[in-house]
Amino acid sequence: MTEHETTPEATGDSGTGAVVEETRTVVPPPVPVASDHPDRWGRVDEDGTVYVKTADGERVVGSWQAGEPAEGLAHFARRFDDIRTEVELLVTRLTSGAGDPKHALTSAKHVQESLKDAAVVGDLAALAARVEYVLVLAEQGLEAAKAAKDEARAAAGARKLALVEEAETLANESTQWKAAGDRLRAILDEWKTIRGVDRKTDEQLWRRFSKARDAFNRRRGSHFADLDRQRGVAKNRKQELVEEAEKLVESDDWGPTAGRYKELMVEWKAAGRAPKEADDALWQRFRAAQDAFFARRSEAFSERDAEFAANAKLKEELLAEAEHIDPSHDLEAARQQLYRIQERWDAIGKVPRERVRELEGKLRAIEEKVRGAVDAQWRRSDPEAEARVAQFRERVEQFEAQAAKARSAGDKRRAEQAEAQAKQWREWLAAAEQAVATR
């Protein structure tokens, strides 16, 4: 049973009214239990005929011959109460949300039809109103269920559409092949859990999803085919680099070879990745060749460093000996002693780079001391200057001849030693000539 009310509400500043229609369901009162006072709702006459009171008057519902009239009324009242209980159960289920509106509607209609000539004694008007209330609740439940179903169908369609659009984006744009492939499989699993989409829409969305998956698989297949080709090229290039690295292992040309290994490493990185097993095997060979060369170089450098350190110690000993040269006492002896030390110095060979400036500086200081004494003597002994000039010129020529002979013989070290000595004597010759020129 429904009641309609209309209430005007003023809206806006114009003073015009808007009519709002509100539908309100009137809840009828509970139906009285008939078996408590069956005589309120019916009677039994002398011949056992049972009547029920209705709004239109009394209606015969049956006959009672089995006992007292009160027992007859109670019997038909209990039958009424059974129907009342059934209706109240429908109300409870519908209002609690536990009942099926469609089943409740069918049951309520059946009860409504049966009340017209039901053989019961009770408040039929109240029960009819209650049944009408059940019909209203059931209709509302059906409408709500239909709305919920439509909403669920729309939500399911929206979910599948969102999955399709995500799949299409992955198919067209993603290059994260594993992650995208995993996501497409997860989308398929999620797709299977979504129910309620109408068949036509579902088929259309499925075709789009399948098309997106196929497009992704084609793009991924093409990518990995290209990658396989690139890796084949990389494998061939790295094979060449490995072979060159292995050929360089025995090289004693330490600087250029070390530089070439660095270049090979740059070329290795630029070559790209080969198939994993081949790449790992080639890398092991490349590193083994590189490590073998640098181990040999390190060993050679260690030996050289030990030799240079020993040379530095020998030169320190020479410097200690040279410190005792006293050109003020016997200049000629001092010069001869310095000359012998210079020859031994050159014969010792190289020292560590960080010691060169220190040691050479100390030797030059001693040479300057002797040269200064020679210059002073030249200035004191002019009559002998010419003879010294000739002597120094002879020594210069002597060492230059030695240098030329050593160089022609391919003895680079002796040639350099002779040239250094010729240079020293050339400086002394220049000083002697200057002394002669200025006396």
Side-chain angles (χ1 to χ4, degrees), residues 128-183:
R130 200 69 169 169
V131 171
E132 183 68 25
Y133 177 56
V134 171
L135 292 172
V136 172
L137 290 180
E139 291 288 353
Q140 292 175 347
L142 286 173
E143 292 177 3
K146 182 178 182 300
K149 185 176 181 181
D150 291 342
E151 183 178 354
R153 180 182 294 110
R159 282 181 64 194
K160 284 196 171 183
L161 177 60
L163 293 177
V164 166
E165 291 174 345
E166 182 183 356
E168 290 173 340
T169 299
L170 292 174
N172 295 327
E173 300 176 9
S174 178
T175 56
Q176 301 295 321
W177 306 111
K178 184 179 185 307
D182 292 343
R183 179 56 188 153

Side-chain angles (χ1 to χ4, degrees), residues 404-420:
K405 183 178 180 181
R407 192 168 297 281
S408 63
D411 192 342
K412 181 180 179 181
R413 187 177 65 83
R414 289 189 176 279
E416 290 176 349
Q417 290 177 356
E419 288 173 351

Side-chain angles (χ1 to χ4, degrees), residues 124-303:
L124 291 175
L127 184 57
R130 200 69 169 169
V131 171
E132 183 68 25
Y133 177 56
V134 171
L135 292 172
V136 172
L137 290 180
E139 291 288 353
Q140 292 175 347
L142 286 173
E143 292 177 3
K146 182 178 182 300
K149 185 176 181 181
D150 291 342
E151 183 178 354
R153 180 182 294 110
R159 282 181 64 194
K160 284 196 171 183
L161 177 60
L163 293 177
V164 166
E165 291 174 345
E166 182 183 356
E168 290 173 340
T169 299
L170 292 174
N172 295 327
E173 300 176 9
S174 178
T175 56
Q176 301 295 321
W177 306 111
K178 184 179 185 307
D182 292 343
R183 179 56 188 153
L184 285 173
R185 284 190 289 273
I187 288 175
L188 178 59
D189 292 339
E190 185 177 351
W191 183 284
K192 294 176 181 178
T193 66
I194 301 173
R195 298 286 186 270
V197 183
D198 66 273
R199 183 166 186 164
K200 181 179 179 182
T201 302
D202 198 56
E203 289 177 351
Q204 292 174 345
L205 293 174
W206 175 253
R207 283 196 294 271
R208 286 177 61 183
F209 177 65
S210 297
K211 183 179 178 181
R213 280 201 309 168
D214 291 343
F216 174 79
N217 289 333
R218 285 195 301 273
R219 264 199 330 120
R220 181 174 59 180
S222 176
H223 166 77
F224 282 107
D226 291 340
L227 193 60
D228 287 342
R229 286 191 291 272
Q230 294 171 9
R231 287 178 175 174
V233 173
K235 178 182 176 181
N236 294 335
R237 178 57 183 147
K238 287 186 173 181
Q239 180 69 40
E240 296 172 355
L241 295 175
V242 165
E243 291 172 357
E244 182 177 353
E246 290 173 341
K247 290 178 182 178
L248 293 173
V249 169
E250 299 302 323
S251 173
D252 294 333
D253 197 1
W254 308 117
T257 304
R260 181 54 185 155
Y261 269 112
K262 292 179 181 178
E263 293 172 356
L264 289 177
M265 178 63 77
V266 172
E267 293 176 27
W268 179 280
K269 293 178 180 178
R273 291 189 61 82
K276 180 171 176 51
E277 291 186 4
D279 203 60
D280 291 344
L282 290 170
W283 174 248
Q284 293 301 324
R285 286 176 59 189
F286 182 81
R287 284 299 302 271
Q290 190 178 49
D291 291 346
F293 167 77
F294 283 105
R296 288 182 60 248
R297 188 183 72 158
S298 178
E299 182 179 355
F301 281 7
S302 296
E303 293 176 357

Side-chain angles (χ1 to χ4, degrees), residues 212-406:
R213 280 201 309 168
D214 291 343
F216 174 79
N217 289 333
R218 285 195 301 273
R219 264 199 330 120
R220 181 174 59 180
S222 176
H223 166 77
F224 282 107
D226 291 340
L227 193 60
D228 287 342
R229 286 191 291 272
Q230 294 171 9
R231 287 178 175 174
V233 173
K235 178 182 176 181
N236 294 335
R237 178 57 183 147
K238 287 186 173 181
Q239 180 69 40
E240 296 172 355
L241 295 175
V242 165
E243 291 172 357
E244 182 177 353
E246 290 173 341
K247 290 178 182 178
L248 293 173
V249 169
E250 299 302 323
S251 173
D252 294 333
D253 197 1
W254 308 117
T257 304
R260 181 54 185 155
Y261 269 112
K262 292 179 181 178
E263 293 172 356
L264 289 177
M265 178 63 77
V266 172
E267 293 176 27
W268 179 280
K269 293 178 180 178
R273 291 189 61 82
K276 180 171 176 51
E277 291 186 4
D279 203 60
D280 291 344
L282 290 170
W283 174 248
Q284 293 301 324
R285 286 176 59 189
F286 182 81
R287 284 299 302 271
Q290 190 178 49
D291 291 346
F293 167 77
F294 283 105
R296 288 182 60 248
R297 188 183 72 158
S298 178
E299 182 179 355
F301 281 7
S302 296
E303 293 176 357
R304 184 196 66 181
D305 291 344
E307 177 187 348
F308 285 3
N311 291 345
K313 185 172 181 60
L314 291 175
K315 288 191 174 183
E316 288 174 349
E317 294 173 356
L318 275 181
L319 287 172
E321 181 181 338
E323 289 291 340
H324 294 91
I325 296 176
D326 185 8
S328 64
H329 182 264
D330 187 342
L331 182 58
E332 184 59 29
R335 284 203 308 267
Q336 291 300 322
Q337 187 179 1
L338 177 60
Y339 170 70
R340 288 191 296 271
I341 287 175
Q342 287 172 329
E343 285 188 328
R344 290 161 61 193
W345 182 280
D346 292 337
I348 288 173
K350 295 182 179 180
V351 299
R353 181 179 300 177
E354 65 274 11
R355 300 291 310 278
V356 171
R357 178 176 296 180
E358 169 203 350
L359 297 173
E360 292 289 345
K362 290 180 179 181
L363 180 62
R364 281 196 298 271
I366 296 171
E367 292 172 345
E368 289 295 334
K369 183 174 68 172
V370 174
R371 185 180 297 111
V374 171
D375 291 344
Q377 186 183 46
W378 283 341
R379 287 191 294 272
R380 291 193 303 269
S381 56
D382 286 343
E384 300 177 359
E386 293 290 348
R388 280 196 297 273
V389 168
Q391 180 185 3
F392 289 167
R393 185 176 292 112
E394 181 181 350
R395 294 304 296 271
V396 169
E397 292 172 354
Q398 178 184 350
F399 284 119
E400 287 178 344
Q402 289 178 5
K405 183 178 180 181

